[in-house]
């Protein structure tokens, strides 16, 4: 097995290969898994998923891959554990990062307008160097986003299920229930627990669907 270390220059290939890998992972999702994820997000109605457009598909796929943790680990880690023989070295390196992706609400501090953004975690105050060719062109200082991040040695990327955090989403019952449950002295470390990240992901994404704001931010899933 070849040890692969990703650099910012690998971003286009990470995105291209990541889309293909994500499709492989989602094919392992059972009908019961899809039903459970749909119920989590409030989009399972009359025995079927109710999804209206590609952005909503991206949000659902992202939650199913990272936020859904039926046995204490996400679907990327399940694929890594059970189906690693179906992945090449590049995909295995990606899967190792995807299996420990973490949820974050983060604020953009700076963008170079081309490929790189600086952002700060609203909870932990951790600084992120995000590589994202699309996001770097449309983001602006003060923009608040929520979604899963994958950390590599020199940089991080967003997984694709990114939600623009509006006042309506932040003040939604789903999100407020999670935030109100956090002790003040635990705020900085709250999302370091993957189960808490999944809880907040479920709240944010379900609120976005309920409020009709699932399509308010362009993205492509990884």
């Amino acid at each position: 097995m070849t040890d692969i270390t990703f650099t910012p220059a690998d971003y286009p290939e990470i995105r291209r290969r990541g889309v293909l890998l994500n499709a492989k992972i989602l094919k392992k999702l059972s009908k019961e898994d899809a039903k459970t994820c749909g119920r989590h997000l409030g989009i399972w109605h009359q025995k079927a998923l109710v999804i209206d457009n590609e952005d909503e598909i991206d949000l659902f796929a992202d939650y199913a891959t990272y936020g859904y943790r039926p046995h204490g680990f996400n679907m990327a880690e399940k694929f890594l554990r059970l189906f690693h023989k179906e992945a090449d070295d590049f995909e295995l390196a990606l899967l190792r990062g995807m299996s420990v992706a973490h949820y974050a609400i983060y604020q953009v501090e700076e963008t170079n307008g081309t490929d790189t953004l600086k952002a700060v975690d609203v909870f932990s105050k951790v600084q992120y160097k995000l590589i994202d060719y699309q996001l770097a062109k449309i983001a602006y200082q003060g923009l608040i986003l929520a979604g899963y991040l994958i950390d590599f040695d020199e940089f991080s990327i967003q997984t694709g299920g990114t939600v623009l955090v509006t006042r309506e989403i932040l003040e939604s019952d789903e999100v407020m229930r999670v935030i109100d449950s956090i002790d003040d002295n635990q705020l900085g470390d709250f999302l370091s627990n993957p189960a808490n990240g999944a809880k907040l992901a479920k709240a944010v994404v379900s609120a976005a669907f309920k409020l009709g704001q699932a399509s308010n931010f362009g993205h492509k899933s990884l």
Side-chain angles (χ1 to χ4, degrees):
M1 182 176 67
T2 304
D3 186 22
I4 296 176
T5 300
F6 294 118
T7 70
D10 295 315
Y11 178 80
E13 188 65 5
I14 290 172
R15 279 292 173 203
R16 187 186 72 81
R17 297 289 299 276
V19 170
L20 300 175
L21 180 57
N22 200 60
K24 288 184 182 181
I25 293 171
L26 291 174
K27 284 182 180 179
K28 304 298 184 183
L29 207 67
S30 70
K31 289 183 179 179
E32 192 61 32
D33 289 330
K35 178 180 178 180
T36 301
C37 290
R39 284 180 167 174
H40 283 181
L41 303 179
I43 56 173
W44 182 265
H45 303 292
Q46 297 182 349
K47 300 181 179 182
L49 286 172
V50 179
I51 297 177
D52 294 330
N53 53 55
E54 288 189 9
D55 284 346
E56 291 187 356
I57 291 173
D58 283 343
L59 279 183
F60 172 79
D62 193 82
Y63 177 80
T65 302
Y66 301 101
Y68 178 54
R69 303 174 61 86
H71 301 291
F73 48 86
N74 65 30
M75 293 298 100
E77 185 173 354
K78 178 180 179 179
F79 193 95
L80 181 61
R81 291 185 181 197
L82 301 181
F83 307 106
H84 56 272
K85 291 183 179 180
E86 299 181 24
D88 61 24
D89 288 340
F90 193 99
E91 290 172 327
L92 288 172
L94 267 183
L95 282 166
R96 285 190 285 272
M98 293 166 70
S99 67
V100 293
H102 59 96
Y103 203 72
I105 295 180
Y106 52 98
Q107 185 171 34
V108 174
E109 293 189 325
E110 181 182 329
T111 175
N112 67 359
T114 304
D115 56 18
T116 307
L117 308 94
K118 293 181 181 178
V120 60
D121 192 295
V122 172
F123 283 30
S124 68
K125 307 307 178 185
V126 168
Q127 299 281 330
Y128 300 115
K129 176 185 177 182
L130 295 176
I131 303 298
D132 193 303
Y133 292 3
Q134 178 186 13
L135 183 59
K137 292 179 175 65
I138 62 176
Y140 51 86
Q141 186 179 35
L143 182 71
I144 300 178
L145 303 170
Y148 276 95
L149 299 178
I150 300 173
D151 297 329
F152 299 115
D153 289 342
E154 299 178 29
F155 64 101
S156 301
I157 63 172
Q158 55 98 1
T159 59
T162 303
V163 172
L164 176 62
V165 180
T166 63
R167 180 181 295 275
E168 291 85 1
I169 287 176
L170 196 59
E171 295 179 350
S172 67
D173 292 341
E174 294 86 350
V175 174
M176 288 304 301
R177 275 195 296 269
V178 176
I179 292 177
D180 288 345
S181 71
I182 308 171
D183 292 336
D184 290 344
N185 59 353
Q186 296 178 334
L187 186 62
D189 297 325
F190 181 74
L191 291 180
S192 62
N193 182 334
N196 290 337
K199 188 186 302 183
L200 185 57
K202 175 184 174 183
V204 170
V205 177
S206 61
F209 274 112
K210 185 181 75 173
L211 293 166
Q213 296 185 13
S215 302
N216 64 7
F217 193 80
H219 43 69
K220 294 296 179 184
S221 62
L222 171 63

